[in-house]
Amino acid sequence: MSKRLTKAVIPAAGLGTRFLPATKAMPKEMLPVVDKPAIQYVVEEAVRNDLTDVLMITGRNKNALENHFDNVPELESALEEKGDQTRLLTVTKSADLADMHYVRQGAPRGLGHAVLRSRMHVGDNPFAVLLGDDLVDERDDVLGPMIAAHAKHGATVIALMEVPSDLTDHYGIATVEDIGEGDIVRIVDLVEKPNPEDAPSNLAVLGRYVLEPAIYDILETTEPGKGNEIQLTDALRRMAHENIAGGVYGFIFRGRRYDTGDKLDYIKAIVRLALQREDLGPMLEQWLDVESHRRK
Ligand code: UTP
């Protein structure tokens, strides 16, 4: 029987070079999606899945992230004096969400290195990793089925999604085996960002993982790989190959997900989420309609 999951690790220390110059002085995880920074959606998703102990791995721009999940007394009293309870709630909500902890990565030496920085906090417990720039639509559950599969198999579970075959070089790509459990599969192999002609499938690793603590020992000895970074994918491949701590399972997610570190995906996330909002949706829909006719 594996231990209960309570801890979430959110790496947010990458350089965000695809989004320069916006990310020159601000982490990409703080870019607003409608009116909330991307990272808040991710923390809310962790909390919805009972992962209330959140460790964020931060980089040189740590202040904005820490401040967002803290109280701002002067702003709160100004809103209180105005009697603006609605806005007051939006401001205090992020501070009350979870039990937040922070650790710095130092140099951004890759996702595997960022995850290794959580070892002291997590100890000998299973934990979830949610990438801070990877946003899953609230209407589609990814962590729920992963946590259930982890409880059933007592082993690591990673999230997968189908991507267009010509985009495999943007992702870690998996070779999987059907185990007769529908969207839960066994991972046979993983390769980081293969060229389309070398890709073993079009099943890409997305930014949600439920990891057994055995991953730490593997990461300690994982050499820098693609891009000279310590890759989490490389450590997971070893875990799968050598069947360490029960090997690796995958959950094939078929819902909506946005990489907010990518400009086009970021814009799609804003439009999709704004369209479902009562205060913005109807007017935006009308405007999009007019705009698309105007461009024809
Ligand atoms: P990405 O590869 O998308 O982040 O990492 P990046 O390196 O910042 O992006 P670009 O390509 O330069 O635009 C996925 C997640 O892992 C974190 C990032 O912050 C992001 O949430 N990460 C990545 C770290 O925390 N540390 C690292 O060394 C690398």
Side-chain angles (χ1 to χ4, degrees):
M1 203 44 207
S2 64
K3 293 183 187 168
R4 204 170 78 84
L5 269 167
T6 56
K7 292 178 197 280
V9 172
I10 304 185
L15 292 177
T17 53
R18 283 170 296 162
F19 234 117
L20 283 169
T23 47
K24 186 179 169 193
M26 180 178 72
K28 65 176 165 182
E29 291 80 6
M30 284 301 294
L31 290 170
V33 178
V34 189
D35 50 9
K36 269 195 296 196
I39 192 86
Q40 187 174 333
Y41 292 89
V42 178
V43 174
E44 285 173 355
E45 183 190 338
V47 172
R48 267 202 308 282
N49 287 279
D50 297 328
L51 306 169
T52 50
D53 176 337
V54 175
L55 176 73
M56 207 170 277
I57 316 294
T58 62
R60 70 208 149 85
N61 298 317
K62 140 192 171 125
N63 292 355
L65 286 162
E66 276 202 16
N67 289 343
H68 184 71
F69 293 100
D70 199 358
N71 286 102
V72 193
E74 62 277 22
L75 179 58
E76 287 165 27
S77 50
L79 291 168
E80 216 159 275
E81 269 167 38
K82 278 194 194 166
D84 193 341
Q85 291 301 323
T86 312
R87 290 205 173 94
L88 180 62
L89 201 69
T90 65
V91 167
T92 52
K93 189 176 174 210
S94 56
D96 299 335
L97 261 180
D99 185 9
M100 301 293 300
H101 305 269
Y102 302 88
V103 63
R104 285 230 191 192
Q105 187 181 0
R109 293 173 52 205
L111 179 57
H113 180 253
V115 170
L116 195 48
R117 298 288 294 128
S118 68
R119 185 169 200 168
M120 283 286 280
H121 182 86
V122 170
D124 195 26
N125 296 295
F127 62 106
V129 172
L130 293 82
L131 297 195
D133 59 350
D134 220 334
L135 209 147
V136 172
D137 200 300
E138 222 176 282
R139 296 165 286 182
D140 304 317
D141 188 15
V142 61
L143 273 180
M146 292 175 74
I147 292 171
H150 173 261
K152 178 171 180 191
H153 294 283
T156 290
V157 184
I158 66 176
L160 303 170
M161 63 176 184
E162 286 177 2
V163 296
S165 305
D166 56 336
L167 291 182
T168 55
D169 53 350
H170 289 58
Y171 302 95
I173 298 290
T175 308
V176 304
E177 189 181 272
D178 189 346
I179 52 167
E181 291 186 25
D183 286 338
I184 303 293
V185 293
R186 181 94 179 157
I187 304 285
V188 177
D189 199 9
L190 287 165
V191 47
E192 185 62 26
K193 302 191 171 100
N195 292 325
E197 58 276 20
D198 305 324
S201 78
N202 68 337
L203 284 174
V205 179
L206 77 109
R208 298 293 180 270
Y209 310 79
V210 176
L211 298 173
E212 279 294 304
I215 197 74
Y216 289 126
D217 276 347
I218 307 174
L219 281 169
E220 295 276 9
T221 56
T222 300
E223 297 290 331
K226 198 124 193 174
N228 205 26
E229 293 189 335
I230 298 175
Q231 300 287 355
L232 180 59
T233 307
D234 290 343
L236 287 166
R237 182 201 298 126
R238 221 178 109 201
M239 196 174 220
H241 278 184
E242 298 174 24
N243 201 24
I244 298 168
V248 183
Y249 291 81
F251 165 60
I252 304 173
F253 175 65
R254 303 187 191 277
R256 290 155 282 196
R257 165 265 182 196
Y258 315 96
D259 173 4
T260 57
D262 172 81
K263 286 177 221 173
L264 183 60
D265 244 27
Y266 173 72
I267 294 165
K268 286 181 189 169
I270 294 177
V271 173
R272 278 250 185 91
L273 298 189
L275 279 173
Q276 88 195 48
R277 292 248 308 233
E278 270 176 25
D279 57 340
L280 301 167
M283 275 186 297
L284 178 61
E285 192 164 1
Q286 208 178 28
W287 180 81
L288 285 171
D289 233 27
V290 172
E291 191 66 8
S292 72
H293 279 100
R294 204 172 62 84
R295 294 174 60 83
K296 272 180 193 153

